[in-house]
């Protein structure tokens, strides 16, 4: 038996769908499968599960999702991160509802045309929902294939992508592509783990190149290192007549369409109140302000390409002598829960040692 056949046979013999039951497994509903796949992009199963269940309950069919207000969907997505997924989810739902008469596309190409769906997600949906022969290729699959076959071509290079893609296609079980895709994804998620893979439980250990040549730690290979930029945010919580101000983040930047407090971005967080006050006056003249408490400790949120360091300032706004920016919305504190905020703001708001009973 050649190596490819051994791999496919061993994987399918190992796979027992009932070992890892998940609500989106063993179903054929393409809308539910699509929802689960979008939620699970960049998100662990344990974290995504509740979101999936809540979305299915709130929007049982794609028309329900298409008809939902943007802010409501963003609020439901809150805490999952990578918010462009939620925006694309809505755009794709509306595309299906309005352009395709509510009928979910049934071909790989049709699925790929939906916003936010790349080749991996299209292959997953096409194979799970319609049993179409398209092999999935995600981080789990790259890792398993690189290790078992001993491939050191960088997975993110043009040559690597082609090599892995051809290999993944040749390994696909054409009879049951959906089951095979589930098998390789589950295998990567539970046995061939990124760190400390469970090789002693692996049915392919005898023929695994990485194991036999002690190259597990060096495979898979990636050529590009992600360079992160560091940013510094001062969030101003302007208390005025028992209300505070929030604004929607707009433009092409992180956290698009989420809400935040008025923001001053600076080159560092080392700033005392007089300096910060001066910067506020330069930006928004005419605000009469005093501090209710010194800036908080630094809160941090780490994103794929950025590290955002944040300090929160509770301020009392006693008078406004000029127009406020148009997108500042004045709300009561108890209404803060209605808005979707980035995780770092949520953490601040939930830390009741910091601000509750302040006023
Ligand atoms: S032997 Fe270890 S490294 Fe090789 S495929 Fe199995 S789990 Fe992965």
């Amino acid at each position: 038996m050649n190596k490819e056949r051994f791999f496919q046979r061993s994987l399918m013999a190992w796979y027992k769908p009932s070992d890892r039951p998940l609500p989106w497994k063993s179903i054929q509903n393409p809308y539910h499968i699509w929802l689960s796949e979008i939620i699970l992009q960049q998100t662990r199963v344990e974290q995504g599960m509740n979101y999936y269940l809540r979305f299915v309950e709130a929007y049982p069919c794609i028309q329900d999702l298409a008809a939902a207000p943007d802010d409501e969907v963003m609020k439901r997505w809150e805490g999952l991160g990578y918010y462009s997924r939620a925006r694309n989810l809505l755009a794709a739902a509306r595309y299906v509802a309005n352009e395709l008469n509510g009928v979910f596309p049934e071909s790989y190409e049709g699925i790929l045309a939906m916003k936010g769906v790349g080749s991996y997600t299209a292959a997953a949906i096409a194979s799970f929902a319609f049993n179409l022969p398209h092999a999935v290729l995600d981080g789990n699959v790259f890792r398993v294939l690189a290790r078992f076959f001993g491939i050191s071509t960088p997975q993110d290079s043009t040559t690597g992508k082609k090599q892995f893609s051809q290999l993944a296609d040749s390994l696909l079980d054409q009879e049951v592509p959906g089951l095979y895709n589930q098998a390789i994804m589950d295998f990567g998620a539970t046995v061939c783990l990124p760190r400390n893979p469970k090789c002693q439980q692996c049915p392919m250990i005898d023929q695994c190149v990485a194991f036999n040549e002690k190259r597990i730690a060096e495979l898979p290979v990636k050529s590009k290192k992600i360079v992160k930029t560091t940013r510094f945010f001062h969030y101003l919580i302007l208390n005025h007549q028992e209300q505070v101000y929030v604004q929607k983040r707009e433009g092409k930047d992180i956290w698009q369409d989420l809400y935040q407090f008025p923001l001053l971005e600076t080159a560092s967080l080392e700033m005392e109140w007089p300096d910060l006050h001066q910067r506020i006056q330069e930006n928004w003249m005419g605000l009469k302000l005093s501090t209710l408490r010194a800036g908080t400790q630094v809160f941090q949120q780490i994103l794929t390409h950025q590290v955002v360091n944040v300090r929160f300032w509770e301020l009392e706004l006693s008078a406004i002598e000029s127009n406020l920016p148009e997108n500042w919305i004045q709300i009561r504190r108890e209404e803060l829960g209605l808005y979707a905020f980035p995780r770092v703001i949520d953490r601040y708001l939930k830390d009741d040692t910091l601000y509750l009973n302040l006023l």
Side-chain angles (χ1 to χ4, degrees), residues 7 143-144 147-148 187 191-193 197-200 202-206 208-211 216:
F7 177 88
R143 185 171 63 254
V144 172
R147 287 176 176 169
F148 179 78
F187 182 74
V191 179
C192 197
L193 300 164
K198 300 175 181 167
C199 298
Q200 295 310 326
C202 176
M204 312 164 202
I205 188 167
D206 289 348
C208 174
V209 175
F211 180 83
I216 289 173

mmCIF file with all atom_site columns, all heavy atoms in Angstrom, residues 7 143-144 147-148 187 191-193 197-200 202-206 208-211 216, ligand 1:
data_model
loop_
_atom_site.group_PDB
_atom_site.id
_atom_site.type_symbol
_atom_site.label_atom_id
_atom_site.label_alt_id
_atom_site.label_comp_id
_atom_site.label_asym_id
_atom_site.label_entity_id
_atom_site.label_seq_id
_atom_site.pdbx_PDB_ins_code
_atom_site.Cartn_x
_atom_site.Cartn_y
_atom_site.Cartn_z
_atom_site.occupancy
_atom_site.B_iso_or_equiv
_atom_site.pdbx_formal_charge
_atom_site.auth_seq_id
_atom_site.auth_comp_id
_atom_site.auth_asym_id
_atom_site.auth_atom_id
_atom_site.pdbx_PDB_model_num
ATOM   1   N  N   . PHE A 1 7   ? -2.312 6.537  4.565  1.00 0.00 ? 7   PHE A N   1
ATOM   2   C  CA  . PHE A 1 7   ? -2.771 7.697  5.336  1.00 0.00 ? 7   PHE A CA  1
ATOM   3   C  C   . PHE A 1 7   ? -4.304 7.754  5.327  1.00 0.00 ? 7   PHE A C   1
ATOM   4   O  O   . PHE A 1 7   ? -4.946 7.863  6.369  1.00 0.00 ? 7   PHE A O   1
ATOM   5   C  CB  . PHE A 1 7   ? -2.187 8.982  4.720  1.00 0.00 ? 7   PHE A CB  1
ATOM   6   C  CG  . PHE A 1 7   ? -2.654 10.243 5.391  1.00 0.00 ? 7   PHE A CG  1
ATOM   7   C  CD1 . PHE A 1 7   ? -1.972 10.749 6.490  1.00 0.00 ? 7   PHE A CD1 1
ATOM   8   C  CD2 . PHE A 1 7   ? -3.779 10.922 4.937  1.00 0.00 ? 7   PHE A CD2 1
ATOM   9   C  CE1 . PHE A 1 7   ? -2.417 11.910 7.127  1.00 0.00 ? 7   PHE A CE1 1
ATOM   10  C  CE2 . PHE A 1 7   ? -4.224 12.077 5.563  1.00 0.00 ? 7   PHE A CE2 1
ATOM   11  C  CZ  . PHE A 1 7   ? -3.536 12.569 6.665  1.00 0.00 ? 7   PHE A CZ  1
ATOM   12  N  N   . ARG A 1 143 ? -0.678 21.158 9.036  1.00 0.00 ? 143 ARG A N   1
ATOM   13  C  CA  . ARG A 1 143 ? 0.196  20.584 10.065 1.00 0.00 ? 143 ARG A CA  1
ATOM   14  C  C   . ARG A 1 143 ? 0.276  19.060 9.941  1.00 0.00 ? 143 ARG A C   1
ATOM   15  O  O   . ARG A 1 143 ? 1.357  18.484 9.934  1.00 0.00 ? 143 ARG A O   1
ATOM   16  C  CB  . ARG A 1 143 ? -0.322 20.983 11.452 1.00 0.00 ? 143 ARG A CB  1
ATOM   17  C  CG  . ARG A 1 143 ? 0.577  20.542 12.585 1.00 0.00 ? 143 ARG A CG  1
ATOM   18  C  CD  . ARG A 1 143 ? 0.141  21.144 13.893 1.00 0.00 ? 143 ARG A CD  1
ATOM   19  N  NE  . ARG A 1 143 ? -1.185 20.741 14.314 1.00 0.00 ? 143 ARG A NE  1
ATOM   20  C  CZ  . ARG A 1 143 ? -2.274 21.506 14.280 1.00 0.00 ? 143 ARG A CZ  1
ATOM   21  N  NH1 . ARG A 1 143 ? -2.199 22.745 13.864 1.00 0.00 ? 143 ARG A NH1 1
ATOM   22  N  NH2 . ARG A 1 143 ? -3.448 21.048 14.672 1.00 0.00 ? 143 ARG A NH2 1
ATOM   23  N  N   . VAL A 1 144 ? -0.892 18.434 9.813  1.00 0.00 ? 144 VAL A N   1
ATOM   24  C  CA  . VAL A 1 144 ? -0.919 16.969 9.736  1.00 0.00 ? 144 VAL A CA  1
ATOM   25  C  C   . VAL A 1 144 ? -0.144 16.499 8.503  1.00 0.00 ? 144 VAL A C   1
ATOM   26  O  O   . VAL A 1 144 ? 0.702  15.602 8.591  1.00 0.00 ? 144 VAL A O   1
ATOM   27  C  CB  . VAL A 1 144 ? -2.388 16.463 9.674  1.00 0.00 ? 144 VAL A CB  1
ATOM   28  C  CG1 . VAL A 1 144 ? -2.436 14.973 9.392  1.00 0.00 ? 144 VAL A CG1 1
ATOM   29  C  CG2 . VAL A 1 144 ? -3.114 16.790 10.970 1.00 0.00 ? 144 VAL A CG2 1
ATOM   30  N  N   . ARG A 1 147 ? 3.709  17.107 8.663  1.00 0.00 ? 147 ARG A N   1
ATOM   31  C  CA  . ARG A 1 147 ? 4.407  16.180 9.558  1.00 0.00 ? 147 ARG A CA  1
ATOM   32  C  C   . ARG A 1 147 ? 4.419  14.751 9.009  1.00 0.00 ? 147 ARG A C   1
ATOM   33  O  O   . ARG A 1 147 ? 5.467  14.125 8.939  1.00 0.00 ? 147 ARG A O   1
ATOM   34  C  CB  . ARG A 1 147 ? 3.747  16.201 10.939 1.00 0.00 ? 147 ARG A CB  1
ATOM   35  C  CG  . ARG A 1 147 ? 4.064  17.474 11.704 1.00 0.00 ? 147 ARG A CG  1
ATOM   36  C  CD  . ARG A 1 147 ? 3.316  17.504 13.002 1.00 0.00 ? 147 ARG A CD  1
ATOM   37  N  NE  . ARG A 1 147 ? 3.671  18.657 13.807 1.00 0.00 ? 147 ARG A NE  1
ATOM   38  C  CZ  . ARG A 1 147 ? 2.983  19.016 14.898 1.00 0.00 ? 147 ARG A CZ  1
ATOM   39  N  NH1 . ARG A 1 147 ? 1.932  18.317 15.288 1.00 0.00 ? 147 ARG A NH1 1
ATOM   40  N  NH2 . ARG A 1 147 ? 3.364  20.066 15.595 1.00 0.00 ? 147 ARG A NH2 1
ATOM   41  N  N   . PHE A 1 148 ? 3.247  14.270 8.622  1.00 0.00 ? 148 PHE A N   1
ATOM   42  C  CA  . PHE A 1 148 ? 3.193  12.870 8.201  1.00 0.00 ? 148 PHE A CA  1
ATOM   43  C  C   . PHE A 1 148 ? 4.056  12.638 6.958  1.00 0.00 ? 148 PHE A C   1
ATOM   44  O  O   . PHE A 1 148 ? 4.790  11.665 6.867  1.00 0.00 ? 148 PHE A O   1
ATOM   45  C  CB  . PHE A 1 148 ? 1.742  12.430 7.942  1.00 0.00 ? 148 PHE A CB  1
ATOM   46  C  CG  . PHE A 1 148 ? 1.654  11.012 7.500  1.00 0.00 ? 148 PHE A CG  1
ATOM   47  C  CD1 . PHE A 1 148 ? 1.765  9.966  8.433  1.00 0.00 ? 148 PHE A CD1 1
ATOM   48  C  CD2 . PHE A 1 148 ? 1.523  10.679 6.162  1.00 0.00 ? 148 PHE A CD2 1
ATOM   49  C  CE1 . PHE A 1 148 ? 1.736  8.643  8.025  1.00 0.00 ? 148 PHE A CE1 1
ATOM   50  C  CE2 . PHE A 1 148 ? 1.496  9.347  5.749  1.00 0.00 ? 148 PHE A CE2 1
ATOM   51  C  CZ  . PHE A 1 148 ? 1.599  8.330  6.684  1.00 0.00 ? 148 PHE A CZ  1
ATOM   52  N  N   . PHE A 1 187 ? -8.705 15.075 13.543 1.00 0.00 ? 187 PHE A N   1
ATOM   53  C  CA  . PHE A 1 187 ? -7.410 14.472 13.861 1.00 0.00 ? 187 PHE A CA  1
ATOM   54  C  C   . PHE A 1 187 ? -6.394 15.568 14.230 1.00 0.00 ? 187 PHE A C   1
ATOM   55  O  O   . PHE A 1 187 ? -5.673 15.457 15.213 1.00 0.00 ? 187 PHE A O   1
ATOM   56  C  CB  . PHE A 1 187 ? -6.917 13.655 12.655 1.00 0.00 ? 187 PHE A CB  1
ATOM   57  C  CG  . PHE A 1 187 ? -5.616 12.964 12.904 1.00 0.00 ? 187 PHE A CG  1
ATOM   58  C  CD1 . PHE A 1 187 ? -5.557 11.838 13.721 1.00 0.00 ? 187 PHE A CD1 1
ATOM   59  C  CD2 . PHE A 1 187 ? -4.435 13.439 12.348 1.00 0.00 ? 187 PHE A CD2 1
ATOM   60  C  CE1 . PHE A 1 187 ? -4.343 11.218 13.983 1.00 0.00 ? 187 PHE A CE1 1
ATOM   61  C  CE2 . PHE A 1 187 ? -3.224 12.820 12.596 1.00 0.00 ? 187 PHE A CE2 1
ATOM   62  C  CZ  . PHE A 1 187 ? -3.178 11.706 13.417 1.00 0.00 ? 187 PHE A CZ  1
ATOM   63  N  N   . VAL A 1 191 ? -5.393 15.052 17.976 1.00 0.00 ? 191 VAL A N   1
ATOM   64  C  CA  . VAL A 1 191 ? -4.227 14.149 18.095 1.00 0.00 ? 191 VAL A CA  1
ATOM   65  C  C   . VAL A 1 191 ? -2.943 14.851 17.634 1.00 0.00 ? 191 VAL A C   1
ATOM   66  O  O   . VAL A 1 191 ? -2.002 15.025 18.411 1.00 0.00 ? 191 VAL A O   1
ATOM   67  C  CB  . VAL A 1 191 ? -4.436 12.839 17.285 1.00 0.00 ? 191 VAL A CB  1
ATOM   68  C  CG1 . VAL A 1 191 ? -3.207 11.943 17.411 1.00 0.00 ? 191 VAL A CG1 1
ATOM   69  C  CG2 . VAL A 1 191 ? -5.679 12.106 17.769 1.00 0.00 ? 191 VAL A CG2 1
ATOM   70  N  N   . CYS A 1 192 ? -2.924 15.302 16.398 1.00 0.00 ? 192 CYS A N   1
ATOM   71  C  CA  . CYS A 1 192 ? -1.702 15.930 15.878 1.00 0.00 ? 192 CYS A CA  1
ATOM   72  C  C   . CYS A 1 192 ? -1.728 17.416 16.244 1.00 0.00 ? 192 CYS A C   1
ATOM   73  O  O   . CYS A 1 192 ? -1.822 18.298 15.396 1.00 0.00 ? 192 CYS A O   1
ATOM   74  C  CB  . CYS A 1 192 ? -1.607 15.725 14.367 1.00 0.00 ? 192 CYS A CB  1
ATOM   75  S  SG  . CYS A 1 192 ? 0.049  16.034 13.742 1.00 0.00 ? 192 CYS A SG  1
ATOM   76  N  N   . LEU A 1 193 ? -1.620 17.663 17.527 1.00 0.00 ? 193 LEU A N   1
ATOM   77  C  CA  . LEU A 1 193 ? -1.771 19.027 18.055 1.00 0.00 ? 193 LEU A CA  1
ATOM   78  C  C   . LEU A 1 193 ? -0.553 19.882 17.723 1.00 0.00 ? 193 LEU A C   1
ATOM   79  O  O   . LEU A 1 193 ? 0.544  19.350 17.533 1.00 0.00 ? 193 LEU A O   1
ATOM   80  C  CB  . LEU A 1 193 ? -1.934 18.957 19.576 1.00 0.00 ? 193 LEU A CB  1
ATOM   81  C  CG  . LEU A 1 193 ? -3.154 18.155 20.057 1.00 0.00 ? 193 LEU A CG  1
ATOM   82  C  CD1 . LEU A 1 193 ? -3.025 17.819 21.532 1.00 0.00 ? 193 LEU A CD1 1
ATOM   83  C  CD2 . LEU A 1 193 ? -4.414 18.952 19.807 1.00 0.00 ? 193 LEU A CD2 1
ATOM   84  N  N   . PRO A 1 197 ? 1.947  16.882 20.277 1.00 0.00 ? 197 PRO A N   1
ATOM   85  C  CA  . PRO A 1 197 ? 0.984  15.970 19.637 1.00 0.00 ? 197 PRO A CA  1
ATOM   86  C  C   . PRO A 1 197 ? 0.972  14.615 20.343 1.00 0.00 ? 197 PRO A C   1
ATOM   87  O  O   . PRO A 1 197 ? 1.977  14.213 20.943 1.00 0.00 ? 197 PRO A O   1
ATOM   88  C  CB  . PRO A 1 197 ? 1.528  15.835 18.208 1.00 0.00 ? 197 PRO A CB  1
ATOM   89  C  CG  . PRO A 1 197 ? 2.963  16.224 18.293 1.00 0.00 ? 197 PRO A CG  1
ATOM   90  C  CD  . PRO A 1 197 ? 3.071  17.234 19.391 1.00 0.00 ? 197 PRO A CD  1
ATOM   91  N  N   . LYS A 1 198 ? -0.206 13.944 20.294 1.00 0.00 ? 198 LYS A N   1
ATOM   92  C  CA  . LYS A 1 198 ? -0.341 12.662 20.999 1.00 0.00 ? 198 LYS A CA  1
ATOM   93  C  C   . LYS A 1 198 ? 0.080  11.511 20.083 1.00 0.00 ? 198 LYS A C   1
ATOM   94  O  O   . LYS A 1 198 ? -0.755 10.712 19.646 1.00 0.00 ? 198 LYS A O   1
ATOM   95  C  CB  . LYS A 1 198 ? -1.783 12.499 21.454 1.00 0.00 ? 198 LYS A CB  1
ATOM   96  C  CG  . LYS A 1 198 ? -2.224 13.608 22.410 1.00 0.00 ? 198 LYS A CG  1
ATOM   97  C  CD  . LYS A 1 198 ? -3.695 13.478 22.737 1.00 0.00 ? 198 LYS A CD  1
ATOM   98  C  CE  . LYS A 1 198 ? -4.125 14.602 23.663 1.00 0.00 ? 198 LYS A CE  1
ATOM   99  N  NZ  . LYS A 1 198 ? -5.575 14.709 23.784 1.00 0.00 ? 198 LYS A NZ  1
ATOM   100 N  N   . CYS A 1 199 ? 1.361  11.472 19.806 1.00 0.00 ? 199 CYS A N   1
ATOM   101 C  CA  . CYS A 1 199 ? 1.851  10.512 18.807 1.00 0.00 ? 199 CYS A CA  1
ATOM   102 C  C   . CYS A 1 199 ? 1.601  9.065  19.238 1.00 0.00 ? 199 CYS A C   1
ATOM   103 O  O   . CYS A 1 199 ? 1.378  8.201  18.393 1.00 0.00 ? 199 CYS A O   1
ATOM   104 C  CB  . CYS A 1 199 ? 3.336  10.739 18.554 1.00 0.00 ? 199 CYS A CB  1
ATOM   105 S  SG  . CYS A 1 199 ? 3.662  12.379 17.881 1.00 0.00 ? 199 CYS A SG  1
ATOM   106 N  N   . GLN A 1 200 ? 1.618  8.818  20.558 1.00 0.00 ? 200 GLN A N   1
ATOM   107 C  CA  . GLN A 1 200 ? 1.426  7.431  20.991 1.00 0.00 ? 200 GLN A CA  1
ATOM   108 C  C   . GLN A 1 200 ? 0.007  6.945  20.723 1.00 0.00 ? 200 GLN A C   1
ATOM   109 O  O   . GLN A 1 200 ? -0.259 5.757  20.729 1.00 0.00 ? 200 GLN A O   1
ATOM   110 C  CB  . GLN A 1 200 ? 1.783  7.271  22.488 1.00 0.00 ? 200 GLN A CB  1
ATOM   111 C  CG  . GLN A 1 200 ? 3.256  7.523  22.798 1.00 0.00 ? 200 GLN A CG  1
ATOM   112 C  CD  . GLN A 1 200 ? 4.208  6.739  21.885 1.00 0.00 ? 200 GLN A CD  1
ATOM   113 O  OE1 . GLN A 1 200 ? 3.907  5.627  21.471 1.00 0.00 ? 200 GLN A OE1 1
ATOM   114 N  NE2 . GLN A 1 200 ? 5.349  7.347  21.543 1.00 0.00 ? 200 GLN A NE2 1
ATOM   115 N  N   . CYS A 1 202 ? -1.504 7.824  17.889 1.00 0.00 ? 202 CYS A N   1
ATOM   116 C  CA  . CYS A 1 202 ? -1.675 8.071  16.455 1.00 0.00 ? 202 CYS A CA  1
ATOM   117 C  C   . CYS A 1 202 ? -1.610 6.755  15.668 1.00 0.00 ? 202 CYS A C   1
ATOM   118 O  O   . CYS A 1 202 ? -0.638 5.998  15.788 1.00 0.00 ? 202 CYS A O   1
ATOM   119 C  CB  . CYS A 1 202 ? -0.575 9.025  15.975 1.00 0.00 ? 202 CYS A CB  1
ATOM   120 S  SG  . CYS A 1 202 ? -0.629 9.286  14.199 1.00 0.00 ? 202 CYS A SG  1
ATOM   121 N  N   . PRO A 1 203 ? -2.624 6.509  14.827 1.00 0.00 ? 203 PRO A N   1
ATOM   122 C  CA  . PRO A 1 203 ? -2.627 5.253  14.065 1.00 0.00 ? 203 PRO A CA  1
ATOM   123 C  C   . PRO A 1 203 ? -1.611 5.244  12.925 1.00 0.00 ? 203 PRO A C   1
ATOM   124 O  O   . PRO A 1 203 ? -1.408 4.225  12.290 1.00 0.00 ? 203 PRO A O   1
ATOM   125 C  CB  . PRO A 1 203 ? -4.063 5.206  13.510 1.00 0.00 ? 203 PRO A CB  1
ATOM   126 C  CG  . PRO A 1 203 ? -4.486 6.632  13.426 1.00 0.00 ? 203 PRO A CG  1
ATOM   127 C  CD  . PRO A 1 203 ? -3.809 7.340  14.553 1.00 0.00 ? 203 PRO A CD  1
ATOM   128 N  N   . MET A 1 204 ? -0.970 6.401  12.682 1.00 0.00 ? 204 MET A N   1
ATOM   129 C  CA  . MET A 1 204 ? -0.047 6.473  11.534 1.00 0.00 ? 204 MET A CA  1
ATOM   130 C  C   . MET A 1 204 ? 1.398  6.606  11.966 1.00 0.00 ? 204 MET A C   1
ATOM   131 O  O   . MET A 1 204 ? 2.260  6.920  11.165 1.00 0.00 ? 204 MET A O   1
ATOM   132 C  CB  . MET A 1 204 ? -0.389 7.681  10.670 1.00 0.00 ? 204 MET A CB  1
ATOM   133 C  CG  . MET A 1 204 ? -1.830 7.807  10.347 1.00 0.00 ? 204 MET A CG  1
ATOM   134 S  SD  . MET A 1 204 ? -2.108 9.459  9.758  1.00 0.00 ? 204 MET A SD  1
ATOM   135 C  CE  . MET A 1 204 ? -3.827 9.640  10.046 1.00 0.00 ? 204 MET A CE  1
ATOM   136 N  N   . ILE A 1 205 ? 1.643  6.402  13.233 1.00 0.00 ? 205 ILE A N   1
ATOM   137 C  CA  . ILE A 1 205 ? 2.966  6.695  13.784 1.00 0.00 ? 205 ILE A CA  1
ATOM   138 C  C   . ILE A 1 205 ? 4.099  5.974  13.036 1.00 0.00 ? 205 ILE A C   1
ATOM   139 O  O   . ILE A 1 205 ? 5.151  6.554  12.805 1.00 0.00 ? 205 ILE A O   1
ATOM   140 C  CB  . ILE A 1 205 ? 2.988  6.383  15.308 1.00 0.00 ? 205 ILE A CB  1
ATOM   141 C  CG1 . ILE A 1 205 ? 4.282  6.863  15.940 1.00 0.00 ? 205 ILE A CG1 1
ATOM   142 C  CG2 . ILE A 1 205 ? 2.743  4.933  15.593 1.00 0.00 ? 205 ILE A CG2 1
ATOM   143 C  CD1 . ILE A 1 205 ? 4.255  6.877  17.471 1.00 0.00 ? 205 ILE A CD1 1
ATOM   144 N  N   . ASP A 1 206 ? 3.833  4.744  12.607 1.00 0.00 ? 206 ASP A N   1
ATOM   145 C  CA  . ASP A 1 206 ? 4.908  3.968  11.961 1.00 0.00 ? 206 ASP A CA  1
ATOM   146 C  C   . ASP A 1 206 ? 5.442  4.632  10.706 1.00 0.00 ? 206 ASP A C   1
ATOM   147 O  O   . ASP A 1 206 ? 6.620  4.549  10.398 1.00 0.00 ? 206 ASP A O   1
ATOM   148 C  CB  . ASP A 1 206 ? 4.397  2.569  11.570 1.00 0.00 ? 206 ASP A CB  1
ATOM   149 C  CG  . ASP A 1 206 ? 4.188  1.727  12.808 1.00 0.00 ? 206 ASP A CG  1
ATOM   150 O  OD1 . ASP A 1 206 ? 4.653  2.161  13.877 1.00 0.00 ? 206 ASP A OD1 1
ATOM   151 O  OD2 . ASP A 1 206 ? 3.539  0.670  12.696 1.00 0.00 ? 206 ASP A OD2 1
ATOM   152 N  N   . CYS A 1 208 ? 5.032  7.979  9.966  1.00 0.00 ? 208 CYS A N   1
ATOM   153 C  CA  . CYS A 1 208 ? 5.091  9.441  10.069 1.00 0.00 ? 208 CYS A CA  1
ATOM   154 C  C   . CYS A 1 208 ? 6.546  9.909  9.982  1.00 0.00 ? 208 CYS A C   1
ATOM   155 O  O   . CYS A 1 208 ? 7.373  9.567  10.825 1.00 0.00 ? 208 CYS A O   1
ATOM   156 C  CB  . CYS A 1 208 ? 4.470  9.905  11.382 1.00 0.00 ? 208 CYS A CB  1
ATOM   157 S  SG  . CYS A 1 208 ? 4.685  11.681 11.629 1.00 0.00 ? 208 CYS A SG  1
ATOM   158 N  N   . VAL A 1 209 ? 6.838  10.709 8.971  1.00 0.00 ? 209 VAL A N   1
ATOM   159 C  CA  . VAL A 1 209 ? 8.213  11.172 8.750  1.00 0.00 ? 209 VAL A CA  1
ATOM   160 C  C   . VAL A 1 209 ? 8.680  12.044 9.920  1.00 0.00 ? 209 VAL A C   1
ATOM   161 O  O   . VAL A 1 209 ? 9.777  11.873 10.446 1.00 0.00 ? 209 VAL A O   1
ATOM   162 C  CB  . VAL A 1 209 ? 8.308  11.956 7.423  1.00 0.00 ? 209 VAL A CB  1
ATOM   163 C  CG1 . VAL A 1 209 ? 9.699  12.559 7.244  1.00 0.00 ? 209 VAL A CG1 1
ATOM   164 C  CG2 . VAL A 1 209 ? 7.963  11.058 6.247  1.00 0.00 ? 209 VAL A CG2 1
ATOM   165 N  N   . ALA A 1 210 ? 7.832  12.976 10.349 1.00 0.00 ? 210 ALA A N   1
ATOM   166 C  CA  . ALA A 1 210 ? 8.248  13.897 11.417 1.00 0.00 ? 210 ALA A CA  1
ATOM   167 C  C   . ALA A 1 210 ? 8.572  13.132 12.695 1.00 0.00 ? 210 ALA A C   1
ATOM   168 O  O   . ALA A 1 210 ? 9.560  13.420 13.377 1.00 0.00 ? 210 ALA A O   1
ATOM   169 C  CB  . ALA A 1 210 ? 7.147  14.918 11.685 1.00 0.00 ? 210 ALA A CB  1
ATOM   170 N  N   . PHE A 1 211 ? 7.753  12.128 13.004 1.00 0.00 ? 211 PHE A N   1
ATOM   171 C  CA  . PHE A 1 211 ? 8.002  11.364 14.229 1.00 0.00 ? 211 PHE A CA  1
ATOM   172 C  C   . PHE A 1 211 ? 9.297  10.560 14.094 1.00 0.00 ? 211 PHE A C   1
ATOM   173 O  O   . PHE A 1 211 ? 10.164 10.600 14.968 1.00 0.00 ? 211 PHE A O   1
ATOM   174 C  CB  . PHE A 1 211 ? 6.821  10.425 14.523 1.00 0.00 ? 211 PHE A CB  1
ATOM   175 C  CG  . PHE A 1 211 ? 7.027  9.626  15.781 1.00 0.00 ? 211 PHE A CG  1
ATOM   176 C  CD1 . PHE A 1 211 ? 6.726  10.186 17.017 1.00 0.00 ? 211 PHE A CD1 1
ATOM   177 C  CD2 . PHE A 1 211 ? 7.566  8.343  15.741 1.00 0.00 ? 211 PHE A CD2 1
ATOM   178 C  CE1 . PHE A 1 211 ? 6.961  9.470  18.195 1.00 0.00 ? 211 PHE A CE1 1
ATOM   179 C  CE2 . PHE A 1 211 ? 7.797  7.632  16.905 1.00 0.00 ? 211 PHE A CE2 1
ATOM   180 C  CZ  . PHE A 1 211 ? 7.486  8.191  18.136 1.00 0.00 ? 211 PHE A CZ  1
ATOM   181 N  N   . ILE A 1 216 ? 9.217  16.889 14.523 1.00 0.00 ? 216 ILE A N   1
ATOM   182 C  CA  . ILE A 1 216 ? 7.862  17.370 14.828 1.00 0.00 ? 216 ILE A CA  1
ATOM   183 C  C   . ILE A 1 216 ? 7.861  18.875 15.118 1.00 0.00 ? 216 ILE A C   1
ATOM   184 O  O   . ILE A 1 216 ? 7.027  19.620 14.606 1.00 0.00 ? 216 ILE A O   1
ATOM   185 C  CB  . ILE A 1 216 ? 7.264  16.586 16.016 1.00 0.00 ? 216 ILE A CB  1
ATOM   186 C  CG1 . ILE A 1 216 ? 6.956  15.161 15.563 1.00 0.00 ? 216 ILE A CG1 1
ATOM   187 C  CG2 . ILE A 1 216 ? 5.986  17.255 16.533 1.00 0.00 ? 216 ILE A CG2 1
ATOM   188 C  CD1 . ILE A 1 216 ? 6.511  14.238 16.656 1.00 0.00 ? 216 ILE A CD1 1
HETATM 189 S  S1  . LIG B 2 .   ? 2.885  10.528 14.672 1.00 0.00 ? 1   LIG B S1  1
HETATM 190 FE FE1 . LIG B 2 .   ? 2.609  12.400 15.783 1.00 0.00 ? 1   LIG B FE1 1
HETATM 191 S  S2  . LIG B 2 .   ? 3.341  13.995 14.403 1.00 0.00 ? 1   LIG B S2  1
HETATM 192 FE FE2 . LIG B 2 .   ? 3.021  12.172 13.188 1.00 0.00 ? 1   LIG B FE2 1
HETATM 193 S  S3  . LIG B 2 .   ? 0.963  12.401 12.334 1.00 0.00 ? 1   LIG B S3  1
HETATM 194 FE FE3 . LIG B 2 .   ? 0.815  11.198 14.206 1.00 0.00 ? 1   LIG B FE3 1
HETATM 195 S  S4  . LIG B 2 .   ? 0.370  12.695 15.812 1.00 0.00 ? 1   LIG B S4  1
HETATM 196 FE FE4 . LIG B 2 .   ? 1.140  13.830 14.034 1.00 0.00 ? 1   LIG B FE4 1
#
